[in-house]
Amino acid sequence: MFKYKTKISIVVFFIGAAVFAQEKIWSLQECVDYALENNISVQKSNNSILTSEQNVVAAKGNLLPSLGASASQSMGFGNQELFQGQFVNRTSHQTNVGIQVSQNVFNGFRNTNIYKQSLLSQEASELQLQQLKDDISLNVANAYLNILFNKENLEAAKAQIEFSKGQLEQVKSFVDAGVQPKANIFDAEATLASDEQSLTTAENNYNLSLLTLSQLLQIPYKGFQVEMINIDASYFALFYDDVDSILEYAYSNRNEIKLAEKNIEVAELGTEINKAGYWPSVSFGYGFGSNVFYSNLTENEDSFFNQLNNQKSHSFRLGLNIPIFSQFQNKTAVAKSQIQELNSKLDLEQAKLDLEGNIQRAFTDAQAALKAYESAKKSIESQKLAFENAEERYKLGNMTAFDLEQTRIRYLNAQNLLINAKYDFVFKTKVLDFYMGKTITN
C-alpha cells in the first residue's frame, strides 16, 4: 500500500511540474540564463576547460621527479654447469625489491615551457567559452525580440479584423437605408476575408518565432510563452556619437581579440618547446634495492629478512644526452611552429578586420534604422489622418469603397513599417551594446 501511494505521489509531482513548465512565462533574462546553462556547445566548451585543467596538472607533474617501486620473484631448476664439466641438478629462488627515483635536471626548458603553454591554453579555453556565451546571448535576444515583433504584428492584425467587422456592419446598415449599393457589401466582405488571411499569416509567424526560441533553448515548444516587454521610448535614440569609441573599446576588451592574442603566445611557446630539441639534456637517477637468494645446493642459508637487510645496495646515475643529428626532425618541428606563429598573428589581424567590419556595419545599420523609424513615425501620422479623412468622405458618399480600401492599405502598410522599424532599431542598438560589453538583457 505504501509503495502504491509513493508511485501516485511521483506521478502527481511530474504532472504538476509539467503543468508549471507549460504555464511559466519566460523573461529575456531567464531565456539567456537557461541557454547558457543548458546549451550543448557550452557544456562541451566547459568540458574543454576541464581538459585544459588536467593538461596543466600533467605539465606541472613533468617538473617533479618520478618515483617507482619494483619487486620480482624468479625460480630456476634443472641441470646447470657450476664448474667446467661438472653439472648438478639445481633449484633456486630469487627475490628482488627496489625503489627508483628519476629527475630531469635540464632539457632545454621544454618542461617549463610546456607548463607555461598549458596555462595559456587554459586561459584561451575560458576566453573561447565566454565568446560562445556572448554569441548565444545575442542569438537568444534576437529570437526574443522577433517574438515581440510578431506579437505586435499579430495584435495589429486582430485590431484590423475588428475594424473590418465594424465596417461591414456599417456598410450593411447603409445598404439597408438605401444610401449605398449592395455591391459595397461584397467589397467589405472581401476586405474582411483579406484581413482574416493576414491574421492567419501573423499567427503563423508568431508561433514560428516561439518555436525558434524554444528550439534554441532546447525546451518543449508546447505551452512555451515569453514575457511581453513594452519597448521604452528612450530606446529610440542613438547613444553613440561615432564608431571610433566602440572600436577602441572592442579592440581592448572583446574576447575574440583576446583569444587571438592568447593563441599567438601559445604558438610562440610552441616554438620554444621545439627549440629544446637542439639542447643537451641532463637527467639524474637514484636506486635502492636488495635481493634474497635460495638454492638447494646451499645449506644453512640466512633467513629471508636477514638476506634482505644484508644485501641492500644503492645506485646513482647521471645521464647526459647530446643531440647531434636528428634526421631534420628538430629543424622541421621548429620551422612548422614558426609558421604557426605567423598564422596566429594573421588570425589576430583577421579578427581585428572582422570586428571592425562588423562594428562599422552595425553602427551604419543602427543609424539607418533610426532614420527609418523616424520616417515611419511621420508616415503613420499622415496615413492615419488620410484614412480618417477618407472614412468621413466615404460616409458622406464622396469616395468609393475601392478608394477607401486603397487608403486603408496604405495605412496598414505604414503600421507594419513602423513596427518593423521599431524592432529593427532596437536590435541594431543591442548589437552595438553587445560590442561595448553591456548586458544585452537590459
Side-chain angles (χ1 to χ4, degrees):
M1 185 65 180
F2 176 75
K3 290 183 178 179
Y4 179 73
K5 290 182 177 180
T6 302
K7 290 180 179 178
I8 293 178
S9 299
I10 293 173
V11 171
V12 170
F13 171 78
F14 280 110
I15 292 176
V19 171
F20 173 76
Q22 291 176 353
E23 293 179 350
K24 177 177 176 59
I25 305 297
W26 291 75
S27 68
L28 175 57
Q29 184 65 58
E30 288 173 332
C31 288
V32 171
D33 292 342
Y34 186 90
L36 296 182
E37 184 177 352
N38 296 277
N39 184 271
I40 292 177
S41 296
V42 171
Q43 293 177 6
K44 290 177 67 176
S45 188
N46 276 321
N47 290 337
S48 296
I49 292 178
L50 295 177
T51 301
S52 298
E53 290 174 353
Q54 295 305 312
N55 290 337
V56 171
V57 174
K60 187 185 295 184
N62 287 337
L63 301 173
L64 302 175
S66 62
L67 174 66
S70 63
S72 65
Q73 173 69 37
S74 61
M75 175 182 177
F77 55 89
N79 289 331
Q80 295 187 13
E81 186 178 18
L82 296 182
F83 303 102
Q84 187 174 3
Q86 184 179 354
F87 293 87
V88 295
N89 188 2
R90 182 183 184 185
T91 301
S92 63
H93 299 269
Q94 185 169 358
T95 302
N96 293 283
V97 295
I99 296 176
Q100 303 82 33
V101 179
S102 179
Q103 173 65 51
N104 183 282
V105 180
F106 179 76
N107 64 347
F109 306 106
R110 178 189 293 272
N111 290 342
T112 303
N113 287 326
I114 289 176
Y115 176 64
K116 291 179 181 178
Q117 190 184 53
S118 67
L119 291 175
L120 290 174
S121 296
Q122 182 181 2
E123 294 176 18
S125 297
E126 292 170 353
L127 288 171
Q128 198 166 16
L129 172 61
Q130 192 56 51
Q131 183 181 353
L132 177 62
K133 287 183 175 181
D134 288 344
D135 292 340
I136 290 174
S137 299
L138 187 62
N139 290 336
V140 170
N142 184 25
Y144 196 98
L145 285 174
N146 196 39
I147 292 175
L148 300 184
F149 165 71
N150 286 305
K151 179 66 173 178
E152 195 160 337
N153 273 335
L154 177 59
E155 295 303 320
K158 289 179 179 178
Q160 193 56 44
I161 286 285
E162 295 303 317
F163 174 81
S164 295
K165 287 180 179 178
Q167 285 290 98
L168 178 59
E169 294 301 320
Q170 188 179 56
V171 169
K172 286 180 178 179
S173 65
F174 287 158
V175 172
D176 292 340
V179 177
Q180 293 185 4
K182 190 174 182 180
N184 285 0
I185 294 179
F186 302 139
D187 292 335
E189 289 176 342
T191 298
L192 178 58
S194 176
D195 290 339
E196 288 174 343
Q197 184 179 6
S198 297
L199 176 62
T200 301
T201 301
E203 288 176 340
N204 186 52
N205 290 336
Y206 174 65
N207 290 330
L208 285 176
S209 61
L210 283 172
L211 176 62
T212 298
L213 181 56
S214 67
Q215 289 177 338
L216 191 60
L217 299 181
Q218 299 168 357
I219 60 177
Y221 164 69
K222 185 177 181 181
F224 177 69
Q225 293 294 330
V226 301
E227 178 185 2
M228 294 296 113
I229 303 173
N230 292 323
I231 304 298
D232 194 338
S234 61
Y235 274 109
F236 304 109
L238 196 55
F239 299 107
Y240 306 102
D241 296 329
D242 57 64
V243 75
D244 293 335
S245 59
I246 306 175
L247 285 171
E248 182 179 356
Y249 177 87
Y251 285 149
S252 302
N253 297 277
R254 287 296 302 166
N255 289 316
E256 52 262 51
I257 301 300
K258 292 181 179 179
L259 178 61
E261 292 172 343
K262 196 67 65 177
N263 286 336
I264 291 176
E265 296 181 52
V266 172
E268 289 173 345
L269 279 174
T271 299
E272 295 302 316
I273 291 170
N274 287 320
K275 285 182 178 179
Y278 291 123
W279 289 79
S281 61
V282 180
S283 61
F284 172 79
Y286 166 74
F288 170 78
S290 183
N291 66 86
V292 176
F293 183 83
Y294 290 100
S295 172
N296 63 335
L297 303 181
T298 306
E299 297 180 357
N300 300 323
E301 290 187 354
D302 211 343
S303 67
F304 180 88
F305 288 104
N306 283 340
Q307 287 193 56
L308 204 62
N309 181 59
N310 294 332
Q311 298 187 80
K312 295 191 298 288
S313 63
H314 303 269
S315 63
F316 296 89
R317 177 183 59 81
L318 183 64
L320 174 65
N321 182 28
I322 302 174
I324 296 176
F325 179 67
S326 63
Q327 299 172 316
F328 304 114
Q329 297 304 305
N330 290 333
K331 180 181 179 181
T332 55
V334 171
K336 287 191 287 187
S337 61
Q338 288 174 336
I339 294 172
Q340 183 59 44
E341 277 188 59
L342 293 175
N343 284 336
S344 298
K345 292 175 181 178
L346 291 173
D347 287 341
L348 174 60
E349 292 302 316
Q350 187 64 55
K352 288 182 177 179
L353 289 173
D354 291 342
L355 184 61
E356 180 182 3
N358 291 336
I359 292 176
Q360 289 279 10
R361 185 162 46 253
F363 185 76
T364 303
D365 287 346
Q367 287 180 313
L370 179 58
K371 292 178 181 178
Y373 175 71
E374 292 172 345
S375 298
K377 281 200 302 182
K378 295 177 182 178
S379 176
I380 193 70
E381 292 172 0
S382 61
Q383 293 297 336
K384 182 179 180 182
L385 290 173
F387 180 62
E388 291 173 351
N389 182 53
E391 279 189 298
E392 293 298 324
R393 293 176 61 191
Y394 177 74
K395 291 176 183 177
L396 296 173
N398 296 329
M399 177 176 280
T400 65
F402 176 79
D403 291 334
L404 176 63
E405 177 62 14
Q406 294 304 307
T407 307
R408 188 184 76 95
I409 290 174
R410 287 193 292 270
Y411 179 46
L412 289 178
N413 289 338
Q415 284 182 320
N416 292 333
L417 286 174
L418 180 63
I419 295 171
N420 185 70
K422 178 172 69 172
Y423 283 97
D424 185 51
F425 176 75
V426 170
F427 179 69
K428 297 293 174 50
T429 305
K430 283 295 182 183
V431 172
L432 292 178
D433 289 342
F434 169 74
Y435 285 119
M436 285 295 288
K438 296 181 181 179
T439 303
I440 203 166
T441 54
N442 288 341

